[in-house]
C-alpha cells in the first residue's frame, strides 16, 4: 500500500486546505494511506514521528471551504544542517511515507528539492507552490494560489481607506505584504484605485535610498494638491522595499530579528510609520500641513476563506500532485497552465548561482504594470518640463520651481 505524506511550510495562504483535501481524497480513493505531518518539517527534523495525523475521507470532505491549514505550518528549515535533513528522510521512512507532497513558497520548495535529493529515489517528492506574494517562478500571467483571495481582501481594505481618507481629508500610508515581489501591493492598489502604489521592482537594482522613496510619495501628495485641490489619498507600499533599504538610512533594520531562513522579519519593521513621518515632516518644514495615518496589511490576508477561484485552483493542484506521484513523476513543482496541470522540474526553478528557488518579480515592462503606473498620481518628467505645471507643483510643495524640479525628478 502506498503511503502519502502531506506537509505545509512557510506562511499561511488561502487555499492550503483545498490542496490537502483534494490530494488526500484522490489518494484515499486509490487505496493509499494519507498521513498529514503537523507543523511542516519541524518535528520530522527532530526525529519525532508522533506529531502526525492520519487523514480519512471524512476528515477532508469540506476542508477546501476553510481558511488556514488543518496541518498547521512552520518555517522550520531542514536544509541548514546535514543531520536535520537526514533526520527528515529517516522520519518519513519510519512513518512508511514513500510519496511526499509539500505545500509552500520558495523556501519550502528548496527544502522539498533537498529532501528528494537526500532520499535518492526512496521517497518521491512533489511540491505545490503557495504564496500570497505571487513571487514563485510560474509562467507569466499564472498566479500562485492564495494570491487572488488575498488581493480581493487587500483591495477591500485599501478601498475602504480611500473612502475614509476622502471623508476625513488625510493621507494614509499602507504597507502591503510581499517580501520580494510588489505583486500583491500593486494588485490591491490598482484594483482599489489608490493614487499611488510603490513597489521595489521600479527602483534600480541594489539598495534603495529612503529619501528616494520619500520623494516619490511626497510628489504624489503635492501633485494631487496642486491639480485636484485634494489633501487626501492612500499610498500603497510593498513591504519588500524595507528589505532593500540602505541600513545607513534605517538603523532599525540592524535590530530586526530574522527567521529560520535568514530573512528579516518585515512585520517588525515599522515601514508605514517611518514613511508617514518622513513625508509629513518634510512637507511641514515648508509650511505644508497634511493629516496622515498608517496601516500594515498582511496577516489578516493569509487565513481568509478562499474565493471560488482559489478553491477550484487548489483542488486541481492537490489532485494532480497525487496523479503525478502515481505516474512515477517526482522532484517537480505542480503548476496549472491554462486548463492543464504541468509538472515543472525542480531544476527549472533553481537559481544557478545560489541554488535557491528563483523569485518572480513584477515585470515593469508588462502591460499590467504600465497601466497601473499610468493610472497613478505621480510627478512625471513632463510635469517638470512644463513651466506652468512645474510652478503649480512647486507652490503646493513650498519650493521654488528649481528646487521642485530637482526634488521630484523621476527615479
Amino acid at each position: 500500500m502506498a503511503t502519502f505524506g502531506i506537509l505545509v511550510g512557510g506562511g499561511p495562504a488561502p487555499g492550503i486546505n483545498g490542496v490537502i483535501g483534494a490530494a488526500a481524497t484522490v489518494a484515499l480513493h486509490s487505496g493509499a494511506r494519507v498521513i498529514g505531518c503537523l507543523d511542516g518539517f519541524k518535528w520530522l527534523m527532530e526525529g519525532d514521528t508522533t506529531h502526525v495525523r492520519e487523514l480519512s475521507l471524512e476528515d477532508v470532505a469540506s476542508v477546501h471551504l476553510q481558511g488556514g491549514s488543518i496541518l498547521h505550518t512552520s518555517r522550520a528549515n531542514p536544509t541548514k544542517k546535514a543531520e536535520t535533513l537526514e533526520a527528515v528522510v529517516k522520519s518519513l521512512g519510519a512513518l512508511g511515507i514513500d510519496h511526499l507532497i509539500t505545500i509552500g513558497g520558495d523556501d519550502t520548495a528548496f527544502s522539498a528539492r533537498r529532501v528528494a535529493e537526500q532520499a535518492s529515489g526512496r521517497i518521491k517528492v512533489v511540491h505545490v507552490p503557495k504564496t500570497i506574494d505571487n513571487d514563485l517562478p510560474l509562467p507569466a500571467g499564472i498566479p500562485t494560489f492564495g494570491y487572488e483571495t488575498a488581493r480581493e481582501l487587500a483591495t477591500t481594505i485599501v478601498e475602504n481607506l480611500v473612502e475614509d481618507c476622502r471623508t476625513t481629508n488625510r493621507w494614509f500610508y499602507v504597507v502591503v505584504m510581499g517580501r520580494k515581489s510588489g505583486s500583491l501591493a500593486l494588485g490591491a492598489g490598482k484594483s482599489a484605485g489608490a493614487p499611488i502604489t510603490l513597489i521595489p521592482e521600479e527602483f534600480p537594482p541594489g539598495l534603495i535610498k529612503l529619501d528616494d522613496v520619500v520623494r516619490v510619495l511626497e510628489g504624489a501628495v503635492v501633485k494631487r494638491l496642486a491639480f485636484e485641490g485634494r489633501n487626501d489619498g492612500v499610498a500603497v507600499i510593498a513591504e519588500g522595499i524595507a528589505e532593500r533599504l540602505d541600513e545607513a538610512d534605517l538603523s532599525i533594520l540592524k535590530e530586526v530579528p530574522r527567521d529560520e531562513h535568514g530573512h528579516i522579519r518585515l512585520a517588525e519593521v515599522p515601514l508605514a510609520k517611518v514613511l508617514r513621518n518622513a513625508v509629513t515632516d518634510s512637507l511641514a518644514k515648508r509650511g505644508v500641513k497634511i493629516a496622515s495615518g498608517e496601516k500594515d496589511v498582511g496577516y489578516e490576508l493569509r487565513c481568509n476563506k478562499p474565493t471560488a477561484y482559489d478553491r477550484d485552483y487548489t483542488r486541481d493542484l492537490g489532485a494532480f500532485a497525487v496523479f503525478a506521484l502515481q505516474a512515477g513523476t517526482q522532484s517537480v513543482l505542480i503548476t496549472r497552465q491554462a486548463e492543464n496541470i504541468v509538472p515543472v522540474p525542480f531544476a527549472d526553478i533553481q537559481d544557478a548561482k545560489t541554488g535557491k528557488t528563483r523569485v518572480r518579480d513584477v515585470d515593469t515592462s508588462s502591460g499590467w504594470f504600465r497601466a497601473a503606473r499610468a493610472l497613478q498620481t505621480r510627478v512625471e518628467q513632463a510635469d517638470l518640463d512644463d513651466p506652468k505645471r512645474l510652478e503649480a507643483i512647486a507652490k503646493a510643495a513650498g519650493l521654488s520651481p528649481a528646487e521642485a524640479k530637482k526634488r521630484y525628478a523621476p527615479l
Side-chain angles (χ1 to χ4, degrees):
M1 180 185 294
T3 300
F4 286 76
I6 305 174
L7 64 80
V8 185
I16 288 173
N17 288 327
V19 179
I20 295 170
T25 298
V26 173
L28 289 166
H29 281 167
S30 73
R33 292 178 67 217
V34 180
I35 295 175
C37 301
L38 303 179
D39 305 315
F41 288 107
K42 179 180 178 180
W43 302 109
L44 301 175
M45 287 167 52
E46 298 178 12
D48 184 339
T49 57
T50 63
H51 290 76
V52 297
R53 173 184 175 188
E54 184 154 356
L55 299 176
S56 68
L57 288 172
E58 184 178 358
D59 291 331
V60 300
S62 59
V63 294
H64 63 286
L65 305 176
Q66 304 171 21
S69 167
I70 62 170
L71 300 180
H72 307 164
T73 184
S74 80
R75 295 190 182 278
N77 181 3
T79 68
K80 293 176 74 173
K81 298 178 182 179
E83 51 266 35
T84 55
L85 190 59
E86 184 178 354
V88 167
V89 174
K90 285 185 176 179
S91 296
L92 293 170
L95 290 165
I97 293 172
D98 46 17
H99 300 79
L100 178 65
I101 298 170
T102 60
I103 305 166
D106 56 337
D107 291 322
T108 309
F110 178 71
S111 296
R113 180 169 67 83
R114 295 289 292 114
V115 167
E117 292 170 352
Q118 181 73 23
S120 301
R122 299 191 306 277
I123 303 171
K124 295 180 176 63
V125 182
V126 299
H127 180 73
V128 178
K130 168 271 312 171
T131 172
I132 65 172
D133 294 353
N134 199 31
D135 63 356
L136 283 169
L138 305 182
I142 299 173
T144 52
F145 86 72
Y147 168 75
E148 289 296 350
T149 298
R151 180 170 75 141
E152 187 71 30
L153 180 54
T155 297
T156 298
I157 293 171
V158 174
E159 182 182 337
N160 289 342
L161 287 172
V162 167
E163 183 58 31
D164 186 275
C165 289
R166 186 193 67 79
T167 301
T168 59
N169 292 307
R170 61 178 174 170
W171 272 82
F172 243 78
Y173 298 86
V174 181
V175 171
V176 175
M177 189 170 278
R179 173 171 298 283
K180 297 289 186 184
S181 169
S183 183
L184 183 57
L186 189 66
K190 183 181 182 182
S191 299
I196 181 169
T197 301
L198 203 54
I199 64 173
E201 290 91 335
E202 62 185 279
F203 291 86
L207 295 176
I208 297 173
K209 299 295 291 183
L210 179 61
D211 188 57
D212 286 342
V213 180
V214 172
R215 288 191 302 106
V216 175
L217 296 175
E218 185 184 312
V221 173
V222 299
K223 183 173 179 178
R224 193 165 168 88
L225 190 60
F227 299 115
E228 299 177 48
R230 296 180 60 174
N231 59 356
D232 68 275
V234 171
V236 178
I237 304 108
E239 73 169 352
I241 285 176
E243 193 166 79
R244 286 182 54 194
L245 283 177
D246 190 335
E247 291 190 10
D249 293 337
L250 202 58
S251 59
I252 58 172
L253 288 182
K254 298 175 184 176
E255 311 298 329
V256 175
R258 297 175 182 264
D259 66 19
E260 289 293 321
H261 296 271
H263 303 311
I264 291 172
R265 293 190 185 277
L266 293 179
E268 315 229 4
V269 178
L271 181 62
K273 185 183 223 32
V274 168
L275 294 175
R276 171 201 176 186
N277 290 343
V279 174
T280 302
D281 292 348
S282 176
L283 290 170
K285 289 175 182 177
R286 303 194 298 271
V288 183
K289 295 184 178 180
I290 301 290
S292 60
E294 82 271 346
K295 180 172 179 59
D296 290 319
V297 176
Y299 289 125
E300 59 266 55
L301 308 179
R302 304 192 306 173
C303 287
N304 196 33
K305 290 183 178 180
T307 59
Y309 175 92
D310 274 323
R311 291 177 191 178
D312 181 84
Y313 186 7
T314 54
R315 300 194 93 194
D316 278 355
L317 294 174
F320 274 85
V322 175
F323 294 159
L325 289 169
Q326 289 174 333
T329 305
Q330 59 178 312
S331 300
V332 296
L333 198 74
I334 302 298
T335 71
R336 186 170 77 173
Q337 301 180 28
E339 296 180 353
N340 299 312
I341 299 296
V342 181
V344 176
F346 283 154
D348 291 357
I349 64 168
Q350 179 181 346
D351 186 292
K353 293 182 179 178
T354 65
K356 299 281 188 177
T357 305
R358 294 197 318 275
V359 173
R360 177 173 66 181
D361 295 326
V362 172
D363 180 0
T364 56
S365 68
S366 68
W368 184 58
F369 177 81
R370 290 173 58 205
R373 181 71 175 71
L375 290 166
Q376 295 177 30
T377 301
R378 301 252 196 143
V379 176
E380 307 288 1
Q381 190 60 49
D383 296 318
L384 302 177
D385 292 339
D386 183 317
K388 289 185 178 180
R389 295 184 71 81
L390 175 59
E391 184 177 356
I393 289 170
K395 182 179 179 180
L399 295 169
S400 69
E403 291 170 330
K405 193 165 190 174
K406 180 179 179 181
R407 179 150 186 78
Y408 301 129
L411 295 172

